[in-house]
Amino acid sequence: MTTADSVLIHTTLKKYFGYDSFRNQQEEIINSLLQKNDCIVIMPTGGGKSICFQLPAIIFKGVTLVISPLIALMKDQVDGLKANGIKAAYFNSSQAAEEQQAIIEQVVSSELKLLYVAPESLSGLENVLKEDYISCIAIDEAHCISSWGHDFRPSYQQLSFLKKSLPNVPFIALTATADKATRQDIAEQLTITDAKQFITSFDRKNIELEVRPANDRISQIIDFINKRPNEAGIIYCLSRKSTEQLKERLQSKGLKASAYHAGLNFEERSRVQEDFIFDKTTIVCATVAFGMGIDKSNVRWIIHYNMPKNLEGYYQEIGRSGRDGTKAKALLFHSYADVIQLRKFAEGASNEEFQIAKLDRMKQFAEATSCRRKILLSYFGELLNNNCGNCDVCKNPPEFFNGTIIAQKALSVITRLKESEAMGTVIDVLRGAKNANVLDKRYDSLKSYGIGNDIAWKDWQHYIIQLLDQGYCEIAFHKNNALQLTNFSRDVLFNNKEVNLTKPNIAKEIIASPKKEKKTKTKKNNSLFERLRLLRLKISLEENIPAYLIFNDATLKEIEIERPLSDAEFMEINGVGERKMEVYGAEFIAEIKAFMEEKKKTPKKSETLNVTYELYKEGLSIDEIATKRDLKAPTIFSHLAKLYSTGKDINIYNFVSKEEVAAVQKAKITLDSPDGLKPYFEHFNEQIDYSKIRLALTVIEKENNK
Ligand code: ADP
Ligand code: ZN
């Protein structure tokens, strides 16, 4: 690669995506693709796959076709590209014939840089599947082509013919599924066996890992969420019913939660998804049906209400948090009942053994007493040399103690119960419980009844799980989950073999002082970040695009810290490209200035409006006011609109004509969803600018209120 090439791809990265540097192997992948090599990219969810084909697409002559399985999410991806000033569209069965024809024409005239298409709609593009028009083929979620993958889609098999018709066009296949068989299969099916394979690290360092016992999960969850006001998160549950129940519990506590599962109809599911993407609901209680393909970068936490079936699923689900690279948290609740339930699901499946082995690995992870990330990454074939420092075990290492007597007590109760009872009853007998089950079966007359009454129920559970892990007893899944002895039990019972156990860990977060929390919460609401977040939300509603597509949380954080006050400074922010600078720069800078002004002398809110009003009365033009105030013209227009609507003497028709107001009024009636400005802007084929639309709407509203 020459220096010129390197400069080109770096300037393109900054100009269109606003980023200063590449992540992982993005740069190598992009270079390889630009040299027209076929590539297979294996990167974890949230690792940054999209830029690997989106950036070359901008540089290539012609259109990059992106094959993507999820029609519902194409719109967001295309909106994201457009927000960055990249010409993009999608082509699928939801569109009318004329719309499809218009897109085909845009391909022929080389107007587009990227075109998203579902595999089943490819036939509609037959006439343009030519090397003259197509610069590159990107296959997203490429594991869908392989029956080895966990998400095989028959429609993906049509892709195998593509290379034949486009032999000189580079292909890039991308997936987060790491295993070798799938990778091999992708290469063979797509007939790109010479493709260069890029396998990046699966470590997502910014995601903090934590596992807690599942006692009183709901209170723990409510507590967890209350400590994170306004943060978006997903709670994964095993059943449809529990998603609904949990949603209701959370709603009853005043939290904005929705439920999502395959039992809802298409419209309901789309609505939940949209509301989440648009930050209208921040919490979704979902089955695993939710989340694939959602690129929302500001998901701050994932909770597993139930244990997932395997580590692949777990990792993919937690990967949906923290895509913007800033701090995120994954909390897993571990319950013994879940393990039994999951085993039941696995039993009788054609690949039962395989599933159970995977479940065992999941269980090992949940019960780990050493760095969890090490265990996780080793599962994906990666070796972490040092402990991660960002998991609960690293942060709060378990303390071991000599638990031989505890073990002997538990094993002796199991013996007395003739190895026929499950954990719950074993603990009841240990603790000398007087419930009907124990009394009916006369367990109160057993010799070891009550020998463990000095230890709390929860703690017994914690110890017995460890005994299971260490092999001193086992669960007979086929005999009502009875606890049974193993070959090693005898050593403990009769030979005094030492057993080391860990102390039960009280989740630190729960006992943190609630007073302190409250303080930081109120402080947060006045922070610059909060103001920037609200501005982002306002623009998101006006323009009808998800807030995270305007700026992601990482970018917003950087704006908060750097406080850029000029265009040039704003452009320095990681995540601000040219187009976003042009469109949003002024408003954000104005917000920072307003914040700093207020900090200085806490003036009234109306201050900035008054300054504009004074200058207006002096007879200055919009541009002159903007220059004088170091603001952008659209900001001044929005001031005038506000001043006008509060009854100030503004000659509004100097800025928007009567004809334009009439046109907007007409559009307001005919448009389906005239919320925000964007629908109007599009309705007028971008011929009436946002400022004028806003002014016209202000006039109309004022007239209506007369
Ligand atoms: P994937 O498709 O691998 O799950 P994405 O392509 O959606 O991941 O990228 C995840 C997030 O990371 C997006 O918000 C994206 O804008 C951001 N991102 C990608 N590359 C970079 C980079 N080089 N610097 C900063 N952020 C990046
Ligand atoms: Zn760790």
Side-chain angles (χ1 to χ4, degrees):
M1 186 189 50
T2 66
T3 333
D5 294 335
S6 167
V7 170
L8 175 65
I9 69 167
H10 278 91
T11 46
T12 310
L13 180 69
K14 180 62 195 167
K15 181 170 172 188
Y16 289 95
F17 301 95
Y19 298 130
D20 299 328
S21 56
F22 288 102
R23 272 190 194 162
N24 287 317
Q25 298 183 47
Q26 283 174 334
E27 189 170 357
E28 288 96 305
I29 297 163
I30 289 168
N31 278 321
S32 178
L33 199 59
L34 285 174
Q35 284 159 23
K36 308 225 162 179
N37 296 314
D38 296 329
C39 305
I40 294 178
V41 173
I42 320 283
M43 238 189 232
T45 309
K49 288 187 278 296
S50 321
I51 282 182
C52 299
F53 59 84
Q54 289 173 348
L55 195 151
I58 298 168
I59 296 176
F60 279 138
K61 232 176 116 260
V63 182
T64 290
L65 265 195
V66 187
I67 320 283
S68 165
L70 297 156
I71 294 182
L73 296 155
M74 286 182 184
K75 189 177 171 301
D76 286 329
Q77 313 228 7
V78 168
D79 281 347
L81 287 162
K82 283 187 181 164
N84 279 327
I86 302 164
K87 295 244 158 55
Y90 58 84
F91 185 92
N92 66 36
S93 53
S94 73
Q95 293 163 313
E98 304 88 74
E99 210 176 333
Q100 293 195 338
Q101 192 49 41
I103 290 163
I104 291 175
E105 277 157 28
Q106 284 179 303
V107 173
V108 173
S109 62
S110 271
E111 269 174 69
L112 290 174
K113 281 293 165 195
L114 289 121
L115 180 61
Y116 283 72
V117 55
E120 51 275 16
S121 301
L122 262 180
S123 53
L125 293 174
E126 214 169 8
N127 293 334
V128 287
L129 282 182
K130 303 205 168 104
E131 300 198 336
D132 288 347
Y133 307 124
I134 308 297
S135 59
C136 175
I137 302 273
I139 297 134
D140 209 3
E141 313 286 357
H143 60 274
C144 292
I145 200 172
S146 167
S147 47
W148 295 107
H150 54 80
D151 193 23
F152 171 61
R153 290 177 187 235
S155 63
Y156 258 64
Q157 294 203 308
Q158 308 174 26
L159 305 181
S160 41
F161 78 90
L162 267 178
K163 191 75 192 176
K164 277 189 212 95
S165 26
L166 302 163
N168 299 308
V169 168
F171 277 44
I172 175 169
L174 311 104
T175 172
T177 301
D179 74 86
K180 224 172 163 177
T182 311
R183 241 185 292 150
Q184 188 70 28
D185 211 17
I186 291 172
E188 280 169 15
Q189 302 254 2
L190 292 174
T191 57
I192 51 169
T193 41
D194 290 336
K196 226 174 141 177
Q197 299 202 0
F198 297 88
I199 302 162
T200 71
S201 166
F202 264 59
D203 196 0
R204 297 276 315 277
K205 293 186 180 65
N206 60 318
I207 304 177
E208 182 186 341
L209 308 173
E210 184 179 351
V211 181
R212 292 187 198 166
N215 308 304
D216 202 7
R217 265 177 276 207
I218 296 191
S219 319
Q220 292 201 56
I221 290 175
I222 291 168
D223 199 70
F224 179 94
I225 296 172
N226 279 331
K227 293 204 170 97
R228 297 167 171 76
N230 303 324
E231 288 188 3
I234 307 172
I235 308 175
Y236 283 108
C237 305
L238 213 51
S239 70
R240 296 175 186 188
K241 208 168 110 203
S242 47
T243 63
E244 294 284 355
Q245 286 169 343
L246 184 60
K247 172 194 83 176
E248 268 155 39
R249 290 291 295 274
L250 297 181
Q251 283 180 345
S252 75
K253 296 280 170 192
L255 297 168
K256 275 194 197 163
S258 334
Y260 183 104
H261 52 76
L264 300 175
N265 65 34
F266 179 75
E267 281 79 36
E268 287 168 320
R269 272 182 290 153
S270 312
R271 190 178 43 76
V272 173
Q273 191 158 301
E274 278 283 287
D275 284 354
F276 186 61
I277 288 173
F278 276 85
D279 295 342
K280 287 182 193 156
T281 34
T282 45
I283 306 156
V284 181
C285 309
T287 58
V288 290
F290 184 74
M292 166 142 163
I294 292 192
D295 287 337
K296 183 178 166 73
S297 68
N298 61 340
V299 178
R300 294 265 67 88
W301 52 263
I302 303 286
I303 292 178
H304 281 93
Y305 185 86
N306 301 103
M307 194 160 95
K309 287 201 289 238
N310 51 46
L311 283 169
E312 280 93 348
Y314 172 73
Y315 206 51
Q316 196 158 43
E317 282 139 29
I318 69 166
R320 293 179 184 137
S321 66
R323 280 165 176 259
D324 52 17
T326 62
K327 268 173 79 169
K329 176 136 185 170
L331 171 61
L332 163 69
F333 286 107
H334 173 32
S335 99
Y336 165 79
D338 285 351
V339 176
I340 292 175
Q341 177 85 32
L342 288 166
R343 256 197 101 99
K344 266 199 204 130
F345 288 159
E347 275 164 17
S350 57
N351 56 355
E352 174 178 334
E353 254 171 66
F354 180 71
Q355 287 197 26
I356 287 180
K358 292 207 162 205
L359 177 61
D360 279 342
R361 299 291 296 269
M362 183 70 230
K363 213 160 70 67
Q364 276 165 19
F365 168 82
E367 286 155 7
T369 52
S370 61
C371 176
R372 292 196 204 275
R373 200 176 310 266
K374 261 193 175 167
I375 299 177
L376 198 53
L377 289 175
S378 83
Y379 182 78
F380 293 110
E382 230 175 285
L383 187 74
L384 200 63
N385 284 323
N386 297 314
N387 290 341
C388 77
N390 198 22
C391 73
D392 54 337
V393 181
C394 283
K395 289 188 170 177
N396 206 355
E399 286 175 52
F400 285 93
F401 68 98
N402 183 337
T404 313
I405 294 179
I406 290 177
Q408 286 170 339
K409 286 180 179 173
L411 297 179
S412 108
V413 165
I414 294 171
T415 315
R416 300 277 168 191
L417 289 171
K418 302 203 167 65
E419 303 178 54
S420 66
E421 292 289 354
M423 192 188 296
T425 308
V426 171
I427 298 177
D428 281 346
V429 173
L430 272 162
R431 293 188 29 82
K434 294 193 168 48
N435 60 35
N437 177 40
V438 170
L439 300 179
D440 285 354
K441 292 179 174 159
R442 307 235 163 161
Y443 289 156
D444 54 336
S445 62
L446 292 177
K447 208 171 153 214
S448 40
Y449 176 76
I451 51 169
N453 62 2
D454 54 332
I455 293 175
W457 213 96
K458 254 187 13 251
D459 296 347
W460 267 121
Q461 204 178 12
H462 171 84
Y463 295 136
I464 293 179
I465 287 174
Q466 288 182 65
L467 294 176
L468 285 165
D469 282 347
Q470 297 182 27
Y472 293 117
C473 56
E474 64 190 11
I475 299 174
F477 289 100
H478 301 285
K479 293 184 189 158
N480 291 325
N481 310 311
L483 292 186
Q484 301 195 325
L485 302 179
T486 66
N487 293 337
F488 307 108
S489 315
R490 174 170 290 275
D491 284 343
V492 179
L493 279 170
F494 308 114
N495 302 331
N496 257 335
K497 174 164 192 318
E498 189 176 315
V499 177
N500 286 315
L501 297 175
T502 68
K503 290 190 179 155
N505 231 339
I506 317 157
K508 285 266 157 65
E509 225 191 29
I510 298 172
I511 48 174
S513 140
K515 263 192 197 150
K516 218 167 128 198
E517 278 300 324
K518 248 195 187 131
K519 248 190 204 156
T520 53
K521 208 159 115 183
T522 40
K523 202 174 142 223
K524 223 178 173 176
N525 287 339
N526 296 326
S527 70
L528 178 56
F529 184 82
E530 194 51 25
R531 291 181 57 152
L532 297 171
R533 197 184 67 80
L534 290 173
L535 173 61
R536 181 178 68 175
L537 187 65
K538 188 192 110 210
I539 299 174
S540 146
L541 297 175
E542 276 177 5
E543 298 192 359
N544 200 21
I545 66 168
Y548 67 90
L549 290 184
I550 297 167
F551 290 126
N552 69 24
D553 282 2
T555 301
L556 221 55
K557 267 241 102 70
E558 199 175 318
I559 298 176
E560 182 199 15
I561 296 165
E562 298 293 332
R563 297 192 182 180
L565 293 174
S566 66
D567 287 8
E569 283 172 10
F570 201 76
M571 204 47 207
E572 300 257 296
I573 303 287
N574 203 19
V576 179
E578 266 179 14
R579 154 116 187 157
K580 287 188 178 166
M581 170 68 230
E582 274 164 30
V583 183
Y584 308 122
E587 272 184 283
F588 278 84
I589 292 173
E591 191 68 32
I592 299 166
K593 285 187 175 161
F595 174 81
M596 289 167 74
E597 280 290 306
E598 276 174 38
K599 278 267 145 163
K600 251 191 273 161
K601 44 185 173 133
T602 34
K604 291 173 213 77
K605 262 194 194 149
S606 55
E607 178 130 339
T608 180
L609 290 181
N610 285 340
V611 176
T612 297
Y613 189 47
E614 290 304 318
L615 296 171
Y616 170 78
K617 280 198 298 189
E618 280 173 29
L620 269 64
S621 72
I622 300 287
D623 285 339
E624 283 165 343
I625 300 175
T627 313
K628 192 144 192 159
R629 297 209 58 194
D630 200 12
L631 294 172
K632 288 269 163 165
T635 314
I636 305 300
F637 274 116
S638 82
H639 289 174
L640 291 183
K642 272 188 210 129
L643 288 163
Y644 177 78
S645 68
T646 55
K648 289 278 187 308
D649 182 16
I650 305 278
N651 193 354
I652 203 91
Y653 291 111
N654 281 351
F655 309 109
V656 56
S657 71
K658 292 216 159 112
E659 287 74 13
E660 283 162 339
V661 174
V664 171
Q665 176 131 37
K666 205 164 145 207
K668 191 170 179 174
I669 298 161
T670 48
L671 282 176
D672 285 344
S673 61
D675 283 342
L677 305 177
K678 201 177 174 199
Y680 292 98
F681 188 61
E682 285 174 354
H683 176 79
F684 295 120
N685 288 328
E686 313 191 354
Q687 294 303 308
I688 302 185
D689 65 32
Y690 279 105
S691 298
K692 287 194 170 181
I693 296 168
R694 184 178 304 180
L695 288 175
L697 286 169
T698 314
V699 174
I700 294 163
E701 198 170 313
K702 190 133 183 269
E703 287 299 317
N704 287 343
N705 289 340
K706 261 188 185 161

